[in-house]
């Protein structure tokens, strides 16, 4: 669809007056209505901104990017040149020692030293790769390769290592420095052959590229011709030929095309795919083997080429001098050479990965590596032309000495390049560039993983530049295969598509990189922005709306640049904003109307547009649409993106966040997305679903477009990532917000990062997280997320922590949850202690329930999710156990501090510590009893008082600690512990400058430790039976006093008046005279012939009431006709006078109740009763605030979808007092068991640690001062706590400060 067509469609959308012409909601009479929208549970299995510039196009950003490109180019070029010349320098020293006469003993010892460090330099990347592969094998689910693949790869890697060792230990020292540099591009013979074979099989033999491939083979093979002219030494010819051919075997992967499925080429492709899936286990073993091979070859050359008796002699005989006076070699020369060559290669690899990940590969990767080879040739050439007598004894001198001693440039060119046939190197270099030509045409996503960039896990230290170019994956021949079962199991069943009708389905393959749009695949990234609202205030709404408008502005600018300027934007996306408003209506006598919070939202939207753009906007056109769940309002934002506000009526659908998420996930994925792609081929469906994401937000989230795109980039690079979360920053004012700022910061610095490294993040917070549509549509995710809580565990796990529960379901299906530290978002946090305690009262039990589920189902997680391992389960188990005994640790902290700070306790050596324990534990026990017996408000008030008292106590402890430390001996255990506390936080703050301002809040955090570790824990556990939300609760109005009504001793059957009448019971009628009739509890008879009645009672005549209600509806319709006649200046006819009969009095009373004022009635002979329909004319659309909106109705198909969804999942549960009492009893029983268990566990922990510390046998001398001692058990426990951060909720990690101070106080008691 062209831009003009899109604009025309948008204009039609804004001007159409009926739903029949409205885009996606039009009804197609030729096609049947698809009703199979719900297949989740059936899946088995484990106005435009033309002047706006995006963040990427503003001048400062472009200048910064230019500087980064230049810096990357220079840095990688320098690293590659230093690495290559460093290798040449080290091998040159071997030749210098070989050519020096009379140095058999000392020279051989020096040669041994040089080749040893050359071998170590070769093994450094292998050691790093071994560590990385081993950690991934430990903490990830990895596979073993097939035996044939493993043996083949082991043989290839052995050949590569042997060839590399021969090249370094034998070839380079003998051919000289300049020829050694030239030979480094002759290591691509085997890749050239493989590339030619694959390309000829794919494109044919007569294509131009195939011809050039054949020429490249000849150019690489010219090395054998050169050897024929270069030397007559058969041994040297064999060594050079063998080394270059064996080295080239190691670069076979980058030129192997994975798209072949049959024949020999298919076998190679399948072997490569099998190796990719089992690479880390394979290279964990092969790295060890390659290290052994390298040392073995080194020993072979050392023993066979030099004196065996002197080879193992250390370098002590050098005495810092060897050979003649013109050359000096020392330990320092070897170490510096090794250090520079190794560090330059490592830094160069980091820079290369950075360049590819940031999509500056040509400038930051390809050009530097190609240029480095030319610069190295020029540098070595110039040094070889220098007169060694005119330069000092340094690095340049030693390379020049190893040259051909032809000092004039012309003479050197004539002798070397012509007589030695070095001009063959031009063939090698040109053919090498052709074979590695794919590095000039990158096609990779942003932030790609290293396994997506390079074939082998790490780099080669000795052939740095050449290995990076040949090891770079060819993005154009790499595909991602999907089996029919995998695709069908994820979403095709939901789409109701017959798989067998797709001829190409069984060979679905899509490029890994979906940044660049391919032919036939023109669907961009689609983001559904979904937020949930309830009772947010105006400032919180403004935060969210400004964020949406910023995203709207950014998307509009990208769309304009793409449409009118043809810009290729790899970050291009489309988005829709959907906000679900809980409890959006409030009842009135006339009917339901939107509540004050919806009005706040509409006013905030106008204000946000006015503040963000400076445009004097007074009203934004909108569309109002009645729906079965209540209704929705739609706006077209200034950037032509749609904002939809879904209004939920709690009488029609369930409220709370989880059910709002169920609503928008089913609506967007099972209805909207399905209708958009149901006629596409399975290949296109797969591509679209893979690029569809849901951005989950809270009603007060504040973010920038760049933060969203960073999450999208993270999702694009790995299809197994089901959700990604960013860094959350609390905003607000007051001490509680200060506490949370430091708490959130430390959680990101330590806990999130540790989970990301050891396994994966367990919870993606709902305030700012990106979910993959394919992950949500996976088996057993939404089908279990929609479960009705019936057991205490389900109430805690599902209703109290819906974000964590959804993530747990996704983890069980094998998806990962990633953490992106560069993506920032802000959200309002509780500002009062009461609200904070209520929030954590929900989070803590939910986290404990989910962590317990994780540990108990550890086998399932390890089997299903490759990021989980038993070590990670053990790590989470340790955190879980430590979090349960955190209160006991803090109590011991206060006990030790009190015993050291109070003089009376300090002097009492026997009972002082016991008195301190009673003083500290007494209030805790008292508060525990309060939480079990008193009302919640009383519990919170007592928590506030104790928080203040404990904060004052912690302040006094801090002052006492400072005084004691200033008087203690330096390097005492206390200094060590304080240092261990402060340094990690300071270093983490320096590493995160954006959050460094949170570091001063550590003071308030430390003062709040007793309250947050003990009181909050007790409050949460003792109130875990409460399922109330606790935050943003709207105060309920006090019930109004009812007027005196007719009293009756009999139970009256309620009268429900339909469609718009708010009076539902006869008791609401005024006290007027109403006809009564006789009814009976038991009636038997034959219609009107005769009746037998028992247990008679009087009841108001329902006929009178229904007639009055009907008349009210007629009056309402007539009022609207009168108003319309008044607006059209049509004269009114006559006033109706009514007789003062009892019925008319009842009508008048009812009219006053509903309308609130007397009504003037005019004759309307054609007047009919005005009936309301929730999908056509509900009362709320006529409100004053919504009077200017355009009215539309939903299509029949969508109405059916909503009705079925509501009936199946969202229908409000009928109130069942018996069931509620049963559930409450079960929750209380679970609370009681939890309280008893956790209280007992903490008491045992206190007793165990307390008595162990009192035992002198557990004290050992302090290593820095034997006059001081420390507790062994305490130190071990301290190490565990220091390495693990205690989880208390879904977002935060609390460092165990308490135990630090306990240990400090006890150390001071035992220090002398």
């Amino acid at each position: 669809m062209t831009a003009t067509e899109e604009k025309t469609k948008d204009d039609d959308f804004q001007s159409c007056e009926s739903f029949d012409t409205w885009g996606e909601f039009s009804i197609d009479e030729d096609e049947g209505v698809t009703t199979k929208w719900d297949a989740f549970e059936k899946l088995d299995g484990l106005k435009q901104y033309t002047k706006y510039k995006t963040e990427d196009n503003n001048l400062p950003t472009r200048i910064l990017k230019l500087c980064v490109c230049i810096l990357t180019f220079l840095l990688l070029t320098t690293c590659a040149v230093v690495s290559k010349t460093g290798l040449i320098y080290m091998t040159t020293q071997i030749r210098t020692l070989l050519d020096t006469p009379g140095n058999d003993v000392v020279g051989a010892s020096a040669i041994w030293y040089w080749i040893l460090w050359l071998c170590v330099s070769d093994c450094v990347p292998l050691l790093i790769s071994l560590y990385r592969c081993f950690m991934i094998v430990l903490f990830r689910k990895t596979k073993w390769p097939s035996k044939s693949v493993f043996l083949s790869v082991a043989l290839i890697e052995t050949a590569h290592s042997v060839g590399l060792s021969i090249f370094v230990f034998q070839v380079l020292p003998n051919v000289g420095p300049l020829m050694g540099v030239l030979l480094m591009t002759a290591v691509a013979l085997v890749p050239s052959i493989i590339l030619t074979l694959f390309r000829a099989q794919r494109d044919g033999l007569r294509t131009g590229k195939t011809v050039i491939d054949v020429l490249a083979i000849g150019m690489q093979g010219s090395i054998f011709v050169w050897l024929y002219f270069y030397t007559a030494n058969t041994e040297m010819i064999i060594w050079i030929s063998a080394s270059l051919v064996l080295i080239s075997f190691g670069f076979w992967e980058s030129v192997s095309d994975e798209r072949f499925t049959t024949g020999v080429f298919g076998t190679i492709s399948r072997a490569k795919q099998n190796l990719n899936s089992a690479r880390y286990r394979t290279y964990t073993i092969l790295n060890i083997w390659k290290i052994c091979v390298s040392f073995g070859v080194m020993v072979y050359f050392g023993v066979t080429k030099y004196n065996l008796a002197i080879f193992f002699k250390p370098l002590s005989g050098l005495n810092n001098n060897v050979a003649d006076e013109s050359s000096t070699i020392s330990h320092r020369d070897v170490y510096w050479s090794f250090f520079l060559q190794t560090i330059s290669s490592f830094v160069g690899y980091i820079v290369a990965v950075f360049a590819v990940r940031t999509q500056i590969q040509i400038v930051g990767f390809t050009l530097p590596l190609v240029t480095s080879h030319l610069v190295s040739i020029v540098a070595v050439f110039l040094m070889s032309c220098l007169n060694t007598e005119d330069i000092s004894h340094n690095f340049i001198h030693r390379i020049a000495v190893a040259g051909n001693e032809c000092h004039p440039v012309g003479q050197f060119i004539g002798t070397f390049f012509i007589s030695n046939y070095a001009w063959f190197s031009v063939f090698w270099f040109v053919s090498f560039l052709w074979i590695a030509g794919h590095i000039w045409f990158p096609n990779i996503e942003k932030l790609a993983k290293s396994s997506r960039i390079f074939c082998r896990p790490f780099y080669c230290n000795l052939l740095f530049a050449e290995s990076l170019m040949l090891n770079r994956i060819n993005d154009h021949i790499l595909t991602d295969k999907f089996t029919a079962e995998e695709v069908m199991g994820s979403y095709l069943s939901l789409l109701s598509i017959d798989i067998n009708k797709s001829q190409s389905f069984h060979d679905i393959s899509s490029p890994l990189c979906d940044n660049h749009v391919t032919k036939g695949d023109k669907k961009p990234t689609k983001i559904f922005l979904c937020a949930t609202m309830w009772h947010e205030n105006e400032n919180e709404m403004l935060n969210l709306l400004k964020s949406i408008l910023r995203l709207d502005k950014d998307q509009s600018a990208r769309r304009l640049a793409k449409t009118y300027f043809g810009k290729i934007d790899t970050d291009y996306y489309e988005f829709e904003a959907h906000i679900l408003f809980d409890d959006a209506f409030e009842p009135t006598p006339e009917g339901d109307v939107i509540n004050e919070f919806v009005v706040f939202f509409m006013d905030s939207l106008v204000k946000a547009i006015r503040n963000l753009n400076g445009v004097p906007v007074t009203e934004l056109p909108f569309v109002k649409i009645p729906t079965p769940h209540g209704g929705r309002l739609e706006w077209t934002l200034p950037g032509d993106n749609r904002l939809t506000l879904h209004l939920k009526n709690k009488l029609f659908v369930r409220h709370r966040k989880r059910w709002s998420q169920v609503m928008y996930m089913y609506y967007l994925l099972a209805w909207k997305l399905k209708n958009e792609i149901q006629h596409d081929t399975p290949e296109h469906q797969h591509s679209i679903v893979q690029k569809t994401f849901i951005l989950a937000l809270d009603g007060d989230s504040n973010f920038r477009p760049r933060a969203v795109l960073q999450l999208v980039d993270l999702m694009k690079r790995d299809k197994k990532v089901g959700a990604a979360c960013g860094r959350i920053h609390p905003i607000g004012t007051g001490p509680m917000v200060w506490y949370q700022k430091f708490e959130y910061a430390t959680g990101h610095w330590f806990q999130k990062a540790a989970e990301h490294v050891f396994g994966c993040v367990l919870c993606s917070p709902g305030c700012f997280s990106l979910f993959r549509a394919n992950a949500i549509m996976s088996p057993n995710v939404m089908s279990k997320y929609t479960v009705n809580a019936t057991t205490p565990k389900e109430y805690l796990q599902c209703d109290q922590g819906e974000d964590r529960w959804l993530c747990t379901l996704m983890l069980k299906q094998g998806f990962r949850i990633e953490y992106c530290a560069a993506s920032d978002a802000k959200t309002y946090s509780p500002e009062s202690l009461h609200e904070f305690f209520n929030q954590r009262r929900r989070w803590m039990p939910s986290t404990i329930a989910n962590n317990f589920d994780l540990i108990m189902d550890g086998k399932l997680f390890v089997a299903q999710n490759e990021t989980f391992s038993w070590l990670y389960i053990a790590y989470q188990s340790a955190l879980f156990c430590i979090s349960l005994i955190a209160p006991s640790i803090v109590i011991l902290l206060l006990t030790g501090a009190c015993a050291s700070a109070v003089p009376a306790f300090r002097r009492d050596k026997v009972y002082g510590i016991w008195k301190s324990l009673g003083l500290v534990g007494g209030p805790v026990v008292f508060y525990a009893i309060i939480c079990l017996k008193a009302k919640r408000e009383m519990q919170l008030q007592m928590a506030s008082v104790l928080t203040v008292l404990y904060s004052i106590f912690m302040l006094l402890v801090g002052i006492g600690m400072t005084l004691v430390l200033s008087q203690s001996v330096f390097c005492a255990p206390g200094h060590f512990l304080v240092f261990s506390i402060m340094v990690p936080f300071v270093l983490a703050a320096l590493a995160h400058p954006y959050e460094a301002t949170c570091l001063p809040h550590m003071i308030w955090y430390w003062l709040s430790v007793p309250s947050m570790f003990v009181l909050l824990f007790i409050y949460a556990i003792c109130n875990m039976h409460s399922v109330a939300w606790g935050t943003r609760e709207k105060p309920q109005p006090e019930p109004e006093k009812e007027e005196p009504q007719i009293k009756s001793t009999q139970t009256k059957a309620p009268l429900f008046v339909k469609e718009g009448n708010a009076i539902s019971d006869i008791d609401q009628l005024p006290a007027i005279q109403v006809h009564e009739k006789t009814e009976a509890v038991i009636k038997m008879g034959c219609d009107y012939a005769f009746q037998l009645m028992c247990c008679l009672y009087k009841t108001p005549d329902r006929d009178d009431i229904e007639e009055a209600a009907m008349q009210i509806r007629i009056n309402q319709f007539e009022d609207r006709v009168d108003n319309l006649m008044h607006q059209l200046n049509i004269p009114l006819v006559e006033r109706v006078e009514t007789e003062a009969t009892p019925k008319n009095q009842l009508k008048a009373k009812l009219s006053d109740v509903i309308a609130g004022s007397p009504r003037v009635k005019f004759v309307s002979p054609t007047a009919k009763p005005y009936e309301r329909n929730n999908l056509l004319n509900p009362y709320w659309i006529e409100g004053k605030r919504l009077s200017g909106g355009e009215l539309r109705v939903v299509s029949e198909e969508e109405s059916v979808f909503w009705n079925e969804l509501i009936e199946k999942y969202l229908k409000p549960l009928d109130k069942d007092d018996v069931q509620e009492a049963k559930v409450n009893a079960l929750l209380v029983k679970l609370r009681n068991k939890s309280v008893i268990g956790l209280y007992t566990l903490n008491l045992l922990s206190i007793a165990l640690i307390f008595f162990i510390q009192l035992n002198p046998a557990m004290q050992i001398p302090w290593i820095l001062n034997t006059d001081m001692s420390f507790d062994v058990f305490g130190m071990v426990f301290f190490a565990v706590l220091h390495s693990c951060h205690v989880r208390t909720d879904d977002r935060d990690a609390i460092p165990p400060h308490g135990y630090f101070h306990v240990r400090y106080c006890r150390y001071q008691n035992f220090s002398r």
Side-chain angles (χ1 to χ4, degrees), residues 734-794:
M736 283 310 308
V737 178
W738 303 339
Y739 171 86
Q740 291 173 87
K741 284 184 176 181
F742 184 79
E743 182 188 36
Y744 276 60
T746 55
H748 296 139
W749 296 347
F750 301 111
Q751 183 65 29
K752 291 287 188 184
E755 289 181 346
H756 183 78
V757 172
F758 294 149
C760 73
V761 178
L762 298 180
C763 178
S764 189
C767 58
F768 185 69
S769 295
L770 190 69
F771 293 91
R772 187 185 297 275
N774 191 27
I776 296 175
M777 300 163 72
S778 295
N780 297 329
V781 176
M782 287 306 299
S783 60
K784 291 187 177 181
Y785 192 64
T786 55
V787 65
N788 289 324
T790 57
T791 65
K793 179 185 176 183
E794 291 175 348

Side-chain angles (χ1 to χ4, degrees), residues 684-721:
H684 289 170
Q685 290 173 357
H686 175 80
S687 176
I688 294 171
V689 174
Q690 285 290 337
K691 294 186 292 185
T692 302
F693 307 98
I694 288 182
L695 181 64
L697 302 169
D698 278 350
D700 56 357
S701 299
N702 187 357
F703 58 91
R704 299 277 177 177
R706 175 53 52 190
V708 179
L709 294 179
Q710 285 165 341
L711 294 181
V712 173
D713 290 338
L714 194 64
M715 301 284 276
K716 282 182 177 180
R717 76 177 190 178
D718 191 349
K719 64 183 182 66
K720 293 183 180 179
V721 177

Side-chain angles (χ1 to χ4, degrees), residues 174-198:
N174 288 281
V175 300
L178 186 55
M179 184 55 70
V181 175
L182 298 177
L183 284 175
M184 290 182 181
T185 56
V187 294
L189 180 60
V190 173
S192 66
I193 297 173
I194 297 176
L195 177 63
T196 303
L197 294 176
F198 272 96

Side-chain angles (χ1 to χ4, degrees), residues 613-634:
N613 305 300
V615 180
V617 180
T618 57
E619 188 65 40
L620 192 66
F622 64 93
V623 176
K624 50 189 178 182
I625 306 173
T627 62
H629 62 76
R632 67 171 179 255
L633 306 177
E634 293 184 353

